[in-house]
Amino acid sequence: MTRRTAIVLALVTLVVAVGAGVGVLVLRGDPAGGTASAPPPVTTTKVTRTDLSDSRSLDGTLGFGPERVVKGAGAGVVTRLPKVGDTVVRGTALYWVNDRPVPALFGGTPMFRTLDKPGLVGSDVRILWDNLRALGYHTGSQPTRSKDGTKLPAGQAVLTASLVAAVKKWQQALGTEPTGTIAVGQVAVLTGPVRISAVKALPGDPVAGELLAVTEKVKLVTVPVGATEVGSIKVGAAVAVTLPDGAEIPAKVASISHTVTGGGPDAGAGQGSLPTVNVLVTPVKAADVAKLDAAAVQVLFTTTVHRNVLAVPVGALVALREGGHALQLTDGALVAVETGMFARGLVEVSGAGVTEGLDVVTAA
């Protein structure tokens, strides 16, 4: 072997040795690139059976509700008026005209004529008959037909001799002349027990005009609700009222106004208020609000309830590429589901293989 050949062989051996060394260094010196990372831990939850409810909280005002104006009728001079804060019940004097009391009756029809002739038929007669009965007077029975033989319409009554006799006894108890007749302006018809909220007239004013303003007798909460949303609220529905101190008290929907306020042609463009309807809510226990005369409160309405349904946290839903949703099982398999109500971070689910207690993956 020549000297030149020996040198070449030595160089080749050195290159191979260096290459092998580099290879070993690459394989052992980069564990991050050569070793697979552990899969991240998953969070699981169970499919539960529960009741879901759709609720919303709205601003309300605690007080005695909206005012209603009381107008006098007939002729005469006002001689006495009640005080603000007085309460008026059935059969008691609301105000005085020519030193004669004008008592309050409850109903929905004002006295629009003089009731003086037996045989008169009408809703005003029914108001008189209902109220005297409620006051404990013997009004006798009501016929089913009028004198001409026609059937009495619903909500109407006949001025019978027994009813006239009851009117006389009532007038005598009031200290007025027992004539047995009721003229326009001699009684005031209200929708129910009320509280005097304002006195608009003075003694000496003519009776024909605005005399008083009244509110409900008990405290309630007035809640303006969007006119397009009020249809989901029902009279008698249970609600929860949160007071200024954070206490939550039970209440119920007492009435829903038929009058829409606000709105107009520019309401939807930021140029005015949206149309609303007042919903009146009454606390179940008057003592819960006895110490408050007026306050801003929150009212929680529950509009829809789905009972005994299967539900999971919203984070457990998997959106499918082809549309719809699924739940991911702990082994990675997907189970297609139909979704229902969303409420309180939960969603109603149903579908084949979806059962109570099923373990599914959810977002952490």
Side-chain angles (χ1 to χ4, degrees), residues 25-51:
L25 288 174
V26 170
L27 289 176
R28 295 184 180 180
D30 189 15
T35 303
S37 59
V42 296
T43 302
T44 62
T45 187
K46 292 183 181 295
V47 177
T48 59
R49 189 171 294 279
T50 186
D51 296 339

Side-chain angles (χ1 to χ4, degrees), residues 162-176:
S162 297
L163 182 53
V164 171
V167 170
K168 290 180 179 180
K169 290 182 179 180
W170 180 48
Q171 289 173 328
Q172 190 172 16
L174 290 171
T176 61

Side-chain angles (χ1 to χ4, degrees), residues 19 27 31 40 55 76 83 88 95 109 126 132 161 164 168-169 201 259 293 306:
L27 289 176
S55 59
K83 299 187 295 293
V88 181
Y95 53 88
T109 303
R126 183 57 184 259
L132 291 184
V164 171
K168 290 180 179 180
K169 290 182 179 180
T259 303
D293 288 333
H306 287 193

Side-chain angles (χ1 to χ4, degrees), residues 80-354:
R80 185 176 168 187
L81 291 158
K83 299 187 295 293
V84 172
D86 286 350
T87 56
V88 181
V89 296
R90 190 197 314 263
T92 61
L94 182 60
Y95 53 88
W96 285 255
V97 176
N98 298 342
D99 274 345
R100 293 182 52 173
V102 177
L105 300 181
F106 296 162
T109 303
M111 293 296 170
F112 56 87
R113 59 179 172 174
T114 299
L115 301 180
D116 58 353
K117 299 175 183 177
L120 287 175
V121 178
S123 55
D124 52 350
V125 179
R126 183 57 184 259
I127 293 291
L128 187 61
W129 189 71
D130 285 344
N131 279 269
L132 291 184
R133 285 188 66 196
L135 290 170
Y137 292 93
H138 177 69
T139 57
S141 59
Q142 274 290 311
T144 58
R145 297 182 180 275
S146 57
K147 284 187 176 181
D148 60 5
T150 58
K151 187 176 180 180
L152 286 179
Q156 298 194 5
V158 179
L159 186 60
T160 61
S162 297
L163 182 53
V164 171
V167 170
K168 290 180 179 180
K169 290 182 179 180
W170 180 48
Q171 289 173 328
Q172 190 172 16
L174 290 171
T176 61
E177 185 180 358
T179 61
T181 66
I182 300 291
V184 173
Q186 288 187 341
V187 299
V189 180
L190 306 174
T191 56
V194 296
R195 171 185 176 272
I196 305 298
S197 59
V199 177
K200 296 180 173 290
L202 295 172
D205 286 347
V207 67
E210 293 187 359
L211 304 181
L212 307 164
V214 299
T215 62
E216 297 296 326
K217 183 180 176 182
V218 297
K219 292 175 187 174
L220 43 75
V221 178
T222 303
V223 186
V225 180
T228 59
E229 302 173 347
V230 75
S232 61
I233 299 174
K234 306 300 180 185
V235 173
V239 299
V241 176
T242 302
L243 302 178
D245 62 0
E248 186 175 279
I249 64 171
K252 65 179 181 178
V253 177
S255 64
I256 300 173
S257 174
H258 297 290
T259 303
V260 178
T261 59
D266 299 322
Q271 301 298 318
S273 59
L274 294 175
T276 60
V277 173
N278 280 339
V279 175
L280 299 184
V281 171
T282 305
V284 172
K285 297 179 181 179
D288 288 339
V289 292
K291 296 180 180 180
L292 295 173
D293 288 333
V297 299
Q298 291 284 317
V299 181
L300 183 67
F301 293 89
T302 299
T303 54
T304 306
V305 178
H306 287 193
R307 300 190 183 280
N308 198 34
V309 298
L310 296 175
V312 294
V314 174
L317 287 181
V318 177
L320 299 177
R321 180 178 300 176
E322 60 272 20
H325 295 87
L327 299 178
Q328 183 179 354
L329 304 183
T330 54
D331 62 1
L334 295 178
V335 177
V337 294
E338 293 289 334
T339 58
M341 176 181 289
F342 288 76
R344 305 189 312 276
L346 299 176
V347 57
E348 177 186 353
V349 292
S350 60
V354 180

Side-chain angles (χ1 to χ4, degrees), residues 1 4-22:
M1 176 183 300
R4 181 177 180 180
T5 302
I7 293 172
V8 170
L9 289 175
L11 289 174
V12 171
T13 302
L14 178 61
V15 170
V16 172
V18 171
V22 172

